Amino acid sequence: MLESLDRYDFSLIDEREPIRWPKGARVAFWVAPNIEFYELDPAPNPVRRAWPRPVPDVQGYATRDYGNRVGHMRMMQLLDKYGVRGSISLSTALCEHHPEIIELCVKRDWEFFSHGIYNTRYTYGMNEAQEREMIEDSVRTIKRHTGQDCAGYLAPALTHTEHTLDLFAEAGGIYTCDLFHDDQPTTVRVRSGKPFVSVPYSLELNDTIAYVVNKVEPRRYAAMIKKAFDRLYFEGKESGRVMCIPLHAYQVSHPHRLAAFEDALAHITSHKDIWVTTGREIAEYFIEHHVA
């Protein structure tokens, strides 16, 4: 039995060496749009069903299709307005299914990191060779369609094996979003011994968790984001913090919800001493300046 996750050391946040972000920023702020593709009738996984209803689950599938058809345009235009470059958690099959979306993101110089191939294909039950091929396929696809070397990883549908972090590091990656354990980047042990870090990615501020799981109203979601930022900004005076807002265009970009997110985004970006950045840039800076 595993008693604890031994990928990183325990440390109290107030007892660490201070983090200093570029230009003295208190908070490294990044937005992670999940741009995903869900299969209508995926191969069954022995542990988890892809859809809550019998296939074809038209409601579930079409809701997500709305995000790709409509929601991403709204999200992109709003992030453009506030000078925010997205760090895309990408189901890489979308490069084949909807290359138009990829092209729009490339033009904006957004980051692409891997979220697996399909968000309906889970790593539960995969052996090491199968998971390696899935990870390497996603990395190759990002390079082929965007020209970027993939730096980050968020496991498809947040499904993992004991080898996931090792395999992604061996495929060239430098950071994971899958640990959810801190408000600062932390060094992560991988079997190759290469520099590899966790970049904070918030489940609490994830729009799907907020709207679907916790069933909050849009104005409450905006208030949550602003209160989270205010606290991190206050603490960041002593040592830099990270704030991530993970988004899904089929959630946040509905007409009745987008204004609430804009309210929060306007509040955050009105502050001068923040670093509006990407997951890759946070990881690279932390490795260069804070990893021995």
Side-chain angles (χ1 to χ4, degrees), residues 108-184:
R108 288 164 165 79
D109 192 29
W110 285 14
E111 179 196 356
F112 295 83
F113 65 89
S114 175
H115 194 27
I117 299 173
Y118 289 94
N119 218 37
T120 40
R121 298 190 187 182
Y122 311 132
T123 57
Y124 300 134
M126 283 188 180
N127 61 38
E128 187 170 347
Q130 291 169 329
E131 188 175 16
R132 178 185 292 108
E133 175 54 31
M134 182 269 291
I135 289 172
E136 291 180 349
D137 183 293
S138 69
V139 169
R140 289 192 302 268
T141 301
I142 288 173
K143 180 69 172 181
R144 185 167 65 251
H145 286 267
T146 73
Q148 294 185 18
D149 294 320
C150 177
Y153 193 70
L154 181 71
L158 308 185
T159 64
H160 319 89
T161 75
E162 64 271 31
H163 304 297
T164 301
L165 300 180
D166 297 320
L167 292 171
F168 182 65
E170 290 162 11
I174 63 170
Y175 77 92
T176 178
C177 301
D178 276 316
L179 294 179
F180 322 118
H181 68 301
D182 215 294
D183 287 330
Q184 293 181 324

Side-chain angles (χ1 to χ4, degrees), residues 161-276:
T161 75
E162 64 271 31
H163 304 297
T164 301
L165 300 180
D166 297 320
L167 292 171
F168 182 65
E170 290 162 11
I174 63 170
Y175 77 92
T176 178
C177 301
D178 276 316
L179 294 179
F180 322 118
H181 68 301
D182 215 294
D183 287 330
Q184 293 181 324
T186 54
T187 301
V188 176
R189 285 186 286 271
V190 290
R191 65 189 177 193
S192 65
K194 65 175 286 186
F196 193 81
V197 299
S198 168
V199 173
Y201 176 100
S202 175
L203 292 182
E204 294 293 318
L205 299 181
N206 185 305
D207 58 353
T208 294
I209 302 297
Y211 286 129
V212 178
V213 178
N214 294 331
K215 303 186 186 309
V216 304
E217 296 178 346
R219 61 184 177 182
R220 176 60 182 154
Y221 182 51
M224 288 166 54
I225 294 173
K226 290 192 286 186
K227 287 180 182 297
F229 172 78
D230 289 346
R231 184 67 201 183
L232 293 170
Y233 182 79
F234 171 77
E235 294 176 354
K237 182 178 181 180
E238 302 300 326
S239 180
R241 300 300 200 254
V242 175
M243 180 172 180
C244 176
I245 304 179
L247 299 175
H248 300 76
Y250 65 90
Q251 298 288 359
V252 77
S253 296
H254 279 281
H256 66 291
R257 289 175 175 165
L258 197 65
F261 177 62
E262 180 170 8
D263 177 41
L265 198 59
H267 173 73
I268 292 167
T269 57
S270 70
H271 293 72
K272 301 300 183 184
D273 44 354
I274 65 169
W275 180 26
V276 181

